[in-house]
Amino acid sequence: MTSEQHLAPFRMPDPLFAELAAGGGSAAAVAFLERAERARRLLLLRTLLGHLDALPTPLTPVAEAWRVLKEAAEKSPEPVERLLLAPPTGGWISHMLRRVHGTATGPPLWAEAGHLSALALSASLHAGTETAFDVPLTDGRLPLPGLGMVQLADARAGLAVGRATTAGGELTVEGPGRTNGRVRVMCRPLRQRAGAGAGTWLPLRTLTRTGPGGEAPGTVVLEDLDPYRDLDDHLPPARLDEDEAREWQRLFGEATRILARPGTPGPGRVDPAMIRAIVPFGRTGVSPPPLPFVQVSASSGDSFGGMLIVRPASALALAETLVHELQHSKLAALLHLFPLLEDDRTERYYAPWRTDPRHLTGLLHGAYAFTGVAGFWRDRLADAQGFDAQCVDARSVDARSAEGVERAGYFFALRRLQSRLAVRTLLTSGRLTVQGRALVSGLARTLDGWLREEVPPAALDRARTAAALHRTEWRLRNVSPAPAAAPSDLRFRPDRRSWPDTRTHGFATRPTAPRTPDEHLAAGDAAAALVRYADVLADAPAEPHALAGWIVARTILEPGRAARRMLARPEELLEPSPRV
């Protein structure tokens, strides 16, 4: 590993690009992307080192840390490669480049630059070399990337300079005490388990996974310690308690069994070995109970294979999110290799899974991610239908399996429809490059094939209704009714803001005893829904949620040219108020 080596240009074989353009990607395609990300990371690291060489610092100079890192790589290349390719390492490099260019903030720059010494210490421990560094301590903490964190008891609060040495796999850290004098701790991070250091050593947590063929388990990092595990900001550790860590393992184990589907790799089919790290976000304990679906998840192009997730209560929801976020990682790596589109970053496009207007790059990311999600639900539908088909007596099929068919059918139908709409926007934008058009055309071919596949009729109807509701409400809340110069030249409301999308999940199952207008619409009774929406609008004629429901219910009951126009530009009904 060296930042001075000359790297040959990457040329992606056409078959691998075709796999990725279809929305999937074999292990060979993902491995190619990871090799490209390694090369990019080394180039960025070389650029960063050039900026930090002359940085005034009370710590060991970065040049010495880089020398130790390279020496360790020669003796133990595999673990040092893992350190280099770890998602938080990519996050740190990119964050630091933003720091030196003045587009990010954080602790003193010298302290953040000292993270390279922490990387070198981890590498030295793996290689068994001897070294000594002056390192930054925050409240007595020293994170060791890929290993865990040292916590000095009774250490001085705030930022301080400590001393760390390694020899034969043993680490010694000392720093200023809380009152006076020095405090010191010794540990063996490669061997020491949780609890063995009486709170002074916190090892990195991992999640155990089993391969698709049931082969020997592997691990995925559950990263709750590294300060660069977030998408950008420097974060303090947020250690999970033992019960929450066990819940993550339980859900992850079930999620990987859901994903362990034999057959040809394709959109929505993920080998969990492709995931490098999961960052638990927003909670460190099991209380309060989480929602059944994932409320928040995110990933960064700087942290290939990493994903930040708020733990849901459902393994199925976690499995879907793993697919979704890995799709983002793959597309981000492709964007590092190819100029896929010309984006002026103006937020003016409708994204069927968002409540706000998006720029073109965001729309491309969404289309790629949700094509994978559609494939995930396609497989779940096939699994559920296969289970039903195996039952000799139809009476032996329990309600849960029937509900699984309906739910999977709904999400497959919804996500394929939404993704195809976004793909159409991309293809007609006039801003795709040659490679971008090839990629988006590949998604279109995948989705067009799926749109011809059968879905349970009731689930399909709910999906079409939910899609129409989302687009209608999005326009009512975001688009100004004032006339624009051209249909594609939208004028946005100055008072627009985020709004809760309750219908995407609310329409997933058919209500058995509908009470609200939405429930009547989800149950297929548009007439009853129309009356109830009208009752709401009598008191609040421009209320967007009810007005969107009223428009969609009316167009179901009275299809035709007028209905299509009302769905196309529902904001025109805001002035004057509609007759209800």
Side-chain angles (χ1 to χ4, degrees):
M1 182 186 71
T2 171
S3 63
E4 290 80 21
Q5 67 191 73
H6 295 286
L7 298 170
F10 273 86
R11 301 188 185 280
M12 177 175 281
D14 289 343
L16 297 188
F17 184 87
E19 290 178 11
L20 294 163
S26 62
V30 175
F32 183 94
L33 293 177
E34 191 166 55
R35 289 196 301 274
E37 286 297 294
R38 177 189 184 276
R40 177 179 182 269
R41 199 164 288 187
L42 283 171
L43 291 170
L44 292 177
L45 185 55
R46 182 171 65 181
T47 302
L48 177 61
L49 293 175
H51 284 284
L52 298 180
D53 274 343
L55 176 70
T57 178
L59 308 177
T60 301
V62 294
E64 174 62 13
W66 179 242
R67 184 195 65 78
V68 170
L69 197 62
K70 289 197 295 182
E71 177 185 297
E74 292 172 359
K75 294 188 175 183
S76 297
E78 186 175 337
V80 178
E81 280 288 297
R82 287 199 301 270
L83 281 175
L84 175 68
L85 293 174
T89 302
W92 171 73
I93 294 170
S94 295
H95 172 77
M96 286 299 295
L97 286 170
R98 289 189 283 271
R99 285 293 314 267
V100 299
H101 287 100
T103 59
T105 59
L109 188 57
W110 61 264
E112 294 210 88
H115 191 70
L116 186 63
S117 293
L119 282 163
L121 285 168
S122 290
S124 174
L125 288 165
H126 280 293
T129 59
E130 296 185 9
T131 192
F133 289 106
D134 292 320
V135 294
L137 302 175
T138 303
D139 298 329
R141 300 190 301 264
L142 176 63
L144 288 178
L147 292 175
M149 186 179 73
V150 175
Q151 173 70 64
L152 291 171
D154 298 319
R156 180 190 300 172
L159 184 62
V161 176
R163 185 74 171 171
T165 60
T166 63
E170 184 175 81
L171 172 70
T172 303
V173 181
E174 66 173 37
R178 183 173 300 167
T179 53
N180 52 46
R182 308 280 287 179
V183 290
R184 186 168 179 263
V185 66
M186 297 176 62
C187 58
R188 301 187 71 87
L190 294 176
R191 299 181 183 176
Q192 202 161 315
R193 293 179 296 177
T200 58
W201 171 243
L202 295 177
L204 185 71
R205 281 199 170 106
T206 58
L207 299 170
T208 303
R209 57 174 171 77
T210 302
E215 60 267 20
T219 58
V220 170
V221 171
L222 183 65
E223 184 57 82
D224 57 0
L225 296 174
D226 196 291
Y228 299 98
R229 65 192 185 276
D230 190 39
L231 303 184
D232 184 22
D233 294 333
H234 180 284
L235 286 181
R239 189 65 164 176
L240 305 183
D241 65 31
E242 292 300 325
D243 288 341
E244 179 70 359
R246 279 192 289 270
E247 275 300 290
W248 268 105
Q249 178 57 69
R250 180 184 68 81
L251 282 180
F252 184 75
E254 293 177 12
T256 55
R257 283 191 288 275
I258 291 171
L259 293 172
R261 180 185 178 88
T264 305
R269 296 179 182 175
V270 166
D271 180 354
M274 299 173 180
I275 301 166
R276 297 289 171 259
I278 294 175
V279 177
F281 184 77
R283 55 187 298 132
T284 57
V286 294
S287 296
L291 293 173
F293 53 87
V294 173
Q295 193 172 21
V296 176
S297 69
S299 54
S300 167
D302 299 324
S303 306
F304 183 80
M307 49 195 72
L308 180 150
I309 302 174
V310 174
R311 179 180 67 82
S314 159
L316 187 65
L318 179 59
E320 177 189 9
T321 303
L322 298 179
V323 170
H324 181 113
E325 296 303 336
L326 192 60
Q327 289 288 101
H328 282 304
S329 275
K330 291 190 295 182
L331 182 63
L334 280 170
L335 283 164
H336 292 156
L337 289 171
F338 302 105
L340 297 179
L341 72 173
E342 299 170 2
D343 188 6
D344 61 10
R345 310 297 285 187
T346 302
E347 296 177 333
R348 59 172 175 266
Y349 297 97
Y350 169 62
W353 36 82
R354 298 275 300 214
T355 62
D356 54 339
R358 293 292 282 159
H359 50 68
L360 207 60
T361 302
L363 187 64
L364 176 60
H365 261 285
Y368 197 80
F370 279 99
T371 297
V373 170
F376 169 83
W377 285 109
R378 177 174 178 258
D379 283 344
R380 305 291 76 73
L381 177 60
D383 290 344
Q385 290 174 327
F387 174 81
D388 286 355
Q390 292 171 15
C391 297
V392 176
D393 186 345
R395 290 172 298 180
S396 68
V397 180
D398 63 15
R400 184 179 300 175
S401 67
E403 182 180 331
V405 171
E406 280 286 307
R407 185 176 184 82
Y410 166 81
F411 279 113
F412 173 45
L414 178 67
R415 296 313 189 190
R416 72 184 182 182
L417 178 62
Q418 292 177 326
S419 299
R420 189 60 181 90
L421 178 59
V423 162
R424 179 185 176 186
T425 302
L426 289 161
L427 288 172
T428 58
S429 69
R431 293 179 175 269
L432 296 176
T433 64
V434 172
Q435 296 92 345
R437 179 164 286 276
L439 178 79
V440 178
S441 296
L443 296 180
R445 284 190 292 273
T446 295
L447 293 164
D448 287 344
W450 289 350
L451 284 166
R452 292 189 288 270
E453 295 182 3
E454 290 188 6
V455 170
L460 180 60
D461 287 344
R462 291 198 310 277
R464 287 171 173 168
T465 301
L469 286 165
H470 186 280
R471 183 184 179 279
T472 303
E473 187 168 356
W474 182 91
R475 290 192 70 101
L476 290 172
R477 291 183 181 272
N478 288 288
V479 180
S480 170
S488 60
D489 184 19
L490 297 181
R491 295 177 183 270
F492 290 106
R493 300 175 61 96
D495 60 343
R496 67 183 187 273
R497 62 176 63 92
S498 181
W499 44 279
D501 173 21
T502 58
R503 284 162 164 157
T504 292
H505 287 277
F507 276 62
T509 56
R510 180 187 177 97
T512 55
R515 293 174 299 172
T516 68
D518 277 1
E519 288 173 351
H520 279 285
L521 196 56
D525 191 347
L530 187 70
V531 172
R532 285 161 176 78
Y533 287 127
D535 290 342
V536 176
L537 293 171
D539 294 326
E543 201 286 309
H545 185 87
L547 183 54
W550 181 87
I551 291 170
V552 171
R554 182 167 175 177
T555 57
I556 291 172
L557 294 170
E558 302 175 16
R561 184 175 180 181
R564 290 193 297 271
R565 178 176 176 82
M566 192 159 50
L567 280 177
R569 297 182 179 84
E571 65 277 3
E572 293 179 355
L573 295 183
L574 290 173
E575 296 177 353
S577 300
R579 291 187 305 167
V580 298

